[in-house]
Amino acid sequence: MPMTPPPRPVPPGAAGRRPVVVIGAGPVGLTCAIDLASRGIPVTVLDEDDTVATGSRAICWAKRTLEIWDRLGIGQRMVDKGVTWSAGRVFRGDRELYRFDLLPESGHRRPAFVNLQQYYVEEYLIDRARDFPELIDLRWNHAVTGLDQDGQGVSLTVATPEGERVVEAEWVLAADGARSPTRTRMGLPFPGQRFEERFLIADVRMSADFPAERLFWFAPTFHAGQSALLHRQPDDVFRIDFQLGPDADPELERTPERVMPRIRAIVGEETPVSLEWCSVYAFRCARLARFVHGRVVFVGDSAHVVSPFGARGGNGGIQDADNLCWKLALVLQGAAPESLIATYDEERGRAADENILNSSRTTTFMTPKTRAERHFRDGVLDLAAEAPFARLLLNAGRLSRPCSLAGLSLQTPDPSPPPDGLRPGDPCADAPVVDAAGRAGWLLDRLGGPFTLLVFADGVPDPGRLAGLAPGLAVVVVTAGAGAHGPPGVAVLHDAEGLAARRYGAAPGTAFLIRPDAHVAARFAGLEPARIADALARAGGRPDASVGRAA
């Protein structure tokens, strides 16, 4: 879908340096722009095209990603249009081995996953970006052709419809995809492993009664000796993936004469079917050694790529944006040192390694190359129908889960962690709550903005103890009782079902320091102003952090 062209050309750099320029208007680049704008940071987004994605591409958006988009004001629209699901079924041949449920417990605002085509995601993010006309400048048909940087900023040469321009930026976020021209332009190695196995991916429109579940087949009768995967999408569109083998001819296999018989083998001859889009792909797992290069920061597929099995690519990219943007905003506002940006590399590097490891193991399980790998895979499949332990070993794509940041530099270690509940580095859990006016809501709506102290209590703590804990620290109190009002600046929430206390593993008196990306930075057994101040300084990357005393 073509985008509305910008009303004016990008002025030359002499007209003023931009705080942030984002290269690439895909889901990750747009999420970065909206996140920064929500924190008051002006952003220019440059994209060499003027259309949204062709074909569904990334479709499975995880609960954590939806919660990030909720904070940015776009999550509900994604859920309203998308197909929600949490259950999946695994088959061998025609036999169902087992079912699974990724979110069996109630009391969550968001489902485990939503299936939504990437072109809708991009369209909705563009609409949201237009809600920030003074802060987000979207520039279509603006291709970056050159890049130079020094210690103070980046100079971009940009080919625009009005001619070549130079754009100056304090920071550049490269969100220009798996084939990142920025990465190539900077001569950065992108080491990894290429997998020779080829897969056919097809979007088909049909009226069919397949459930809103993830269906995965090992060696189905309709596609002997290989594997297949099916997901329902909105608009009666279904995503079907077929394993083809390493010797498949990509040009031949994507022709309708080859694609339609494969689809008919699943849905039958009587079902009306139309082919919307298809592609044949092989993939690689790779990552940059570092994601931060001076004032250029790589996010999403430009920084790391994985297999599509497990929905780790798009979700990982959105979580990159979530991790980076609050840090960059603090640096630009002068509230944190530039060294805070290095923790993006540390934290999202761990996530990239975790995603690559899972993707590689999935591929080995699905496409065993050695006799030992095949014996292991077949043995697990033999046992999976009857033995629950074997299901833990079966790997048809370990689905995306947020990465824990435990033990990394911004988190304050917990000297006495609870056996259950959240620990420093974990993403925050959601739970239903009721405010002092009796309005039902969700805990995560109160977290993820400024640094926040989340306090669990029987009642509202003494205002004198809450005051002066740390300048600029928001305070949210979760109580077991209803109807309480807190002092000015303190939000008091009723944990009506007790789910918040249970999910956090919090007894009365427990407090958590919550980062702006809704990860736990520290846990405290009580309100200890000195330890809270130390943990806040550490989480903000400030050089005055008393790490030794806080630890």
Side-chain angles (χ1 to χ4, degrees):
M1 182 181 79
M3 298 292 101
T4 304
R8 60 195 185 284
V10 171
R17 173 175 288 188
R18 288 142 179 81
V20 180
V21 170
V22 176
I23 304 175
V28 176
L30 291 167
T31 297
C32 286
I34 296 166
D35 196 330
L36 288 165
S38 73
R39 303 178 192 279
I41 304 299
V43 184
T44 297
V45 182
L46 307 177
D47 196 278
E48 64 182 7
D49 201 353
D50 64 350
T51 62
V52 295
T54 302
S56 60
R57 300 190 183 274
I59 66 164
C60 295
W61 305 100
K63 183 175 184 289
R64 175 65 180 164
T65 295
L66 297 171
E67 291 166 349
I68 293 168
W69 282 335
D70 277 334
R71 177 173 57 77
L72 301 181
I74 197 63
Q76 190 61 49
R77 192 175 182 189
M78 304 289 188
V79 173
D80 288 345
K81 179 64 177 179
V83 173
T84 65
W85 64 278
S86 64
R89 300 158 68 190
V90 179
F91 300 82
R92 187 185 193 184
D94 293 330
R95 183 191 182 192
E96 182 174 320
L97 298 179
Y98 67 95
R99 298 174 181 238
F100 61 85
D101 191 337
L102 299 169
L103 197 66
E105 183 186 51
S106 61
H108 293 270
R109 181 180 188 179
R110 292 305 177 210
F113 279 90
V114 161
N115 287 349
L116 183 64
Q117 295 94 319
Q118 185 171 323
Y119 47 79
Y120 282 126
V121 170
E122 293 183 10
E123 178 186 339
Y124 298 165
L125 288 169
I126 290 166
D127 287 348
R128 178 62 176 145
R130 287 171 174 154
D131 291 338
F132 299 89
E134 302 303 316
L135 290 170
I136 298 179
D137 187 12
L138 284 169
R139 297 287 169 169
W140 307 108
N141 294 316
H142 282 57
V144 175
T145 59
L147 182 153
D148 292 292
Q149 66 169 315
D150 54 29
Q152 303 303 312
V154 185
S155 177
L156 299 172
T157 305
V158 183
T160 83
E162 290 77 25
E164 187 173 273
R165 298 287 188 270
V166 174
V167 178
E168 304 285 345
E170 292 186 51
W171 291 86
V172 167
L173 308 187
D176 47 352
R179 295 184 176 87
S180 174
T182 305
R183 192 178 63 225
T184 301
R185 186 170 291 116
M186 294 177 67
L188 300 177
F190 199 51
Q193 180 181 6
R194 180 172 296 280
F195 296 89
E196 300 304 321
E197 198 74 21
R198 296 189 184 275
F199 295 84
L200 167 69
I201 182 172
D203 285 350
V204 298
R205 189 182 300 274
M206 61 183 176
S207 295
D209 59 359
F210 289 109
E213 298 176 340
R214 184 182 195 261
L215 304 181
F216 192 98
W217 291 268
F218 287 97
T221 55
F222 58 79
H223 191 52
Q226 306 286 3
S227 62
L229 175 66
L230 183 144
H231 277 277
R232 178 185 282 274
Q233 304 177 75
D235 307 329
D236 287 330
V237 174
F238 290 79
R239 159 73 63 81
I240 308 176
D241 289 68
F242 297 94
Q243 180 185 349
L244 298 178
D247 300 323
D249 182 334
E251 296 301 323
L252 177 64
E253 294 295 349
R254 68 168 57 100
T255 62
E257 294 78 13
R258 299 284 287 187
V259 175
M260 291 308 296
R262 299 187 190 281
I263 294 170
R264 287 287 179 201
I266 300 178
V267 306
E269 296 295 331
E270 303 302 320
T271 303
V273 175
S274 62
L275 180 62
E276 298 281 301
W277 172 79
C278 71
S279 181
V280 174
Y281 66 90
F283 61 86
R284 64 185 304 210
C285 292
R287 59 160 291 186
L288 287 169
R290 292 183 293 112
F291 301 159
V292 180
H293 292 263
R295 292 293 186 96
V296 180
V297 185
F298 289 82
V299 290
D301 286 351
S302 70
H304 46 75
V305 293
V306 294
S307 85
F309 299 104
R312 293 174 176 272
N315 289 293
I318 301 302
Q319 290 163 39
D320 286 352
D322 186 51
N323 185 285
L324 172 64
C325 289
W326 70 268
K327 298 172 181 178
L328 184 54
L330 288 180
V331 170
L332 286 165
Q333 292 161 352
E338 189 171 321
S339 58
L340 181 61
I341 304 302
T343 68
Y344 163 75
D345 189 272
E346 175 192 33
E347 294 183 341
R348 293 310 297 169
R350 172 185 283 187
D353 289 342
E354 184 177 290
N355 287 335
I356 288 171
L357 177 63
N358 278 279
S359 286
S360 300
R361 287 176 174 173
T362 294
T363 305
T364 298
F365 192 89
M366 290 174 54
T367 62
K369 297 297 187 294
T370 68
R371 179 177 296 179
E373 289 172 355
R374 183 166 296 277
H375 282 324
F376 174 76
R377 197 275 298 272
D378 291 346
V380 169
L381 292 175
D382 289 340
L383 291 169
E386 309 298 336
F389 82 88
R391 297 169 192 172
L392 300 176
L393 301 174
L394 194 152
N395 194 336
R398 300 278 190 235
L399 287 159
S400 175
R401 295 172 60 90
C403 177
S404 172
L405 309 177
L408 300 183
S409 60
L410 297 186
Q411 282 58 252
T412 297
D414 188 346
S416 56
D420 298 305
L422 298 189
R423 304 183 181 196
D426 289 343
C428 288
D430 205 3
V433 292
V434 179
D435 68 13
R439 295 172 297 221
W442 297 94
L443 179 57
L444 280 184
D445 286 343
R446 305 291 184 140
L447 308 176
F451 279 99
T452 300
L453 189 69
L454 175 63
V455 181
F456 287 84
D458 286 329
V460 181
D462 176 61
R465 296 194 67 199
L466 294 175
L469 285 173
L473 187 64
V475 179
V476 174
V477 177
V478 176
T479 74
H485 287 270
V490 175
V492 180
L493 306 173
H494 171 35
D495 187 10
E497 301 176 34
L499 289 176
R502 192 177 83 213
R503 288 172 182 165
Y504 282 74
T510 306
F512 296 85
L513 178 63
I514 308 301
R515 300 173 10 156
D517 58 1
H519 276 74
V520 176
R523 178 183 177 275
F524 312 98
L527 295 179
E528 306 170 70
R531 291 193 69 235
I532 291 170
D534 284 348
L536 179 60
R538 178 173 182 157
R542 297 200 298 272
D544 58 337
S546 301
V547 175
R549 182 153 58 102

